[in-house]
C-alpha cells in the first residue's frame, strides 16, 4: 500500500474500525510516516471531541461491537487474489444475505463519522492557519511600527547631532524635580533659527489622558507653550521643538504634566527644569 492509501485508513483507525491485518499494516506505516502519525493524532483528537459531543451518528459500544464483528467477518469472507501469479484462490461464500442491510447501515454510520472526523480536522486546521495568519499580520504590523519608530528616532538623532556640531548651538541640561528625581533631559537648540531638540530619560509614563508639555520661560515673562510628548517604557522621548524668539537667551525650560490636548499655561506639576538663569 502507498502513503495515500494508508491515509484513507486513518479515520477508520481513529474509530478503531480497522480489521487486525489492516491495523497492523497501518501501524507499520505509522512507524515510518510522520505525516500519517500527525494526521492520526488530529483524527483521534477530533474523535474524542465527537465522543463528548454525543453525536447521534457516532456508534455506541454495542453498535461498535457489531461493526467490528461485521468488519472482521467481512474481511474473512472477502475473496482475496494471491500475489503469486497463476495460483487460483478458491472464493469463500459471502456473508448471509440478511446481514447486508445492517452492515450497510453500520458502514454508513462509520463512513459518516469518518467523514465528520475529516471535516472537523480540516475545519480545525483552517481555523489554526487563519489564526496563525492573523498572528503573523499582527507581528508584521508591530515590527513595521517598531521599524518606523527606530527610523524616526535615527532621523532625530542625526538632527540632534548636526545641531550639537553647529557653532550656534546652545545646550541646556534639565534636571528632575522632586516629582521625578530620576528624570533628566537635554535641550539643544540653534540660537539663530530657534530649531531645538529635547531628549529625555527616566520620566514616568504619562497617564492615558495626560502628556508632557514643554515650556519656554523668558526671564520676567509668562511661560510660553512648546511641544507635547509622551515617553517610552524607559521614560525616553526625543522631540523637536521651536524655541520662540523671546526665549533664545536667558530663558528657563521646564516640563510639566498636562491634559493631553495641551494647556495654554502650565497647570500640572513640574517634572524637569533647567536651572534659573
Ligand atoms: Zn503516510
Amino acid at each position: 500500500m502507498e502513503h495515500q492509501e494508508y491515509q484513507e485508513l486513518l479515520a477508520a483507525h481513529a474509530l478503531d474500525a480497522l480489521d487486525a491485518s489492516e491495523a497492523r499494516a497501518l501501524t507499520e506505516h505509522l512507524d515510518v510516516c510522520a505525516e500519517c502519525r500527525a494526521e492520526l493524532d488530529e483524527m483521534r483528537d477530533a474523535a474524542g471531541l465527537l465522543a463528548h459531543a454525543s453525536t447521534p451518528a457516532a456508534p455506541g459500544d454495542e453498535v461498535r461491537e457489531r461493526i467490528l464483528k461485521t468488519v472482521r467477518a467481512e474481511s474473512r469472507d472477502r475473496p482475496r487474489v494471491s500475489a503469486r501469479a497463476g495460483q487460483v484462490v478458491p472464493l469463500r461464500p459471502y456473508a448471509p444475505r440478511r446481514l447486508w442491510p445492517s452492515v450497510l447501515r453500520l458502514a454508513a454510520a462509520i463512513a459518516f463519522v469518518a467523514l465528520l472526523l475529516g471535516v472537523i480536522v480540516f475545519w480545525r486546521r483552517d481555523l489554526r492557519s487563519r489564526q496563525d495568519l492573523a498572528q503573523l499580520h499582527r507581528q508584521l504590523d508591530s515590527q513595521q511600527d517598531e521599524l518606523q519608530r527606530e527610523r524616526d528616532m535615527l532621523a532625530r538623532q542625526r538632527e540632534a547631532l548636526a545641531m550639537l556640531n553647529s557653532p550656534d548651538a546652545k545646550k541646556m541640561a534639565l534636571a528632575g524635580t522632586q516629582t521625578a528625581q530620576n528624570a533628566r533631559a537635554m535641550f539643544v537648540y540653534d540660537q539663530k533659527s530657534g530649531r531645538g531638540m529635547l531628549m529625555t530619560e527616566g520620566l514616568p509614563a504619562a497617564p492615558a489622558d495626560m502628556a508632557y508639555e514643554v515650556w519656554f520661560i523668558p526671564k520676567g515673562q509668562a511661560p510660553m507653550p512648546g511641544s507635547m510628548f509622551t515617553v517610552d517604557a524607559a521614560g525616553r522621548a526625543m522631540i523637536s521643538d521651536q524655541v520662540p524668539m523671546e526665549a533664545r537667551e536667558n530663558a528657563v525650560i521646564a516640563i510639566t504634566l498636562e491634559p493631553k490636548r495641551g494647556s495654554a499655561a502650565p497647570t500640572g506639576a513640574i517634572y524637569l527644569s533647567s536651572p534659573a538663569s
Side-chain angles (χ1 to χ4, degrees):
M1 266 198 291
E2 306 254 322
H3 164 76
Q4 184 101 40
E5 295 169 86
Y6 284 114
Q7 252 185 332
E8 284 162 13
L9 295 181
L10 291 172
H13 192 50
L15 297 168
D16 285 330
L18 286 185
D19 70 34
S21 71
E22 276 176 326
R24 212 168 27 243
L26 181 59
T27 308
E28 278 168 23
H29 176 68
L30 287 173
D31 283 341
V32 298
C33 184
E35 195 186 328
C36 283
R37 276 202 304 277
E39 191 160 336
L40 180 63
D41 280 346
E42 282 183 285
M43 292 278 184
R44 284 205 167 123
D45 205 32
L49 204 71
L50 271 189
H52 289 298
S54 70
T55 309
D61 277 350
E62 189 204 342
V63 175
R64 185 176 154 279
E65 202 45 52
R66 267 153 56 204
I67 291 169
L68 285 179
K69 225 189 276 173
T70 315
V71 167
R72 282 186 201 120
E74 201 203 357
S75 87
R76 246 200 329 275
D77 296 339
R78 199 187 291 156
R80 292 185 191 276
V81 178
S82 170
R84 271 172 287 169
Q87 191 188 6
V88 176
V89 177
L91 293 181
R92 281 160 171 256
Y94 281 102
R97 201 158 271 277
R98 60 184 167 78
L99 249 176
W100 280 105
S102 68
V103 168
L104 286 179
R105 216 172 52 232
L106 296 173
I110 284 271
F112 178 71
V113 176
L115 188 77
L116 218 51
L117 282 196
V119 169
I120 291 174
V121 166
F122 275 111
W123 173 70
R124 284 172 145 193
R125 267 187 212 162
D126 183 46
L127 205 66
R128 211 161 44 222
S129 58
R130 260 186 289 161
Q131 281 166 346
D132 287 349
L133 208 64
Q135 201 182 352
L136 267 179
H137 272 300
R138 275 197 300 275
Q139 278 171 357
L140 207 64
D141 282 351
S142 81
Q143 275 168 359
Q144 274 168 345
D145 286 353
E146 185 88 8
L147 205 66
Q148 192 54 49
R149 268 198 300 277
E150 269 166 27
R151 273 201 204 112
D152 290 351
M153 187 68 98
L154 211 66
R156 281 188 300 242
Q157 274 169 351
R158 252 189 234 122
E159 205 180 321
L161 212 64
M163 216 175 300
L164 277 170
N165 289 328
S166 151
D168 297 316
K170 190 170 158 74
K171 272 193 289 185
M172 290 170 86
L174 280 67
T177 61
Q178 285 291 357
T179 317
Q181 290 178 27
N182 294 324
R184 61 198 190 109
M186 170 77 79
F187 194 89
V188 188
Y189 67 99
D190 180 352
Q191 275 188 301
K192 260 195 196 141
S193 67
R195 275 196 331 131
M197 181 78 52
L198 175 75
M199 286 153 283
T200 72
E201 54 184 48
L203 272 177
D209 52 343
M210 307 284 275
Y212 290 106
E213 187 162 358
V214 181
W215 300 99
F216 302 103
I217 313 166
K219 204 175 179 109
Q221 292 184 41
M224 305 170 81
S227 294
M228 306 286 304
F229 66 95
T230 53
V231 295
D232 70 9
R236 276 188 301 246
M238 194 171 212
I239 53 147
S240 51
D241 211 338
Q242 181 66 34
V243 184
M245 191 70 86
E246 304 89 318
R248 290 184 198 164
E249 273 174 73
N250 275 342
V252 167
I253 296 179
I255 312 287
T256 61
L257 190 63
E258 302 291 335
K260 207 158 198 167
R261 64 176 187 283
S263 304
T267 60
I270 299 174
Y271 279 66
L272 284 160
S273 176
S274 67
S277 52

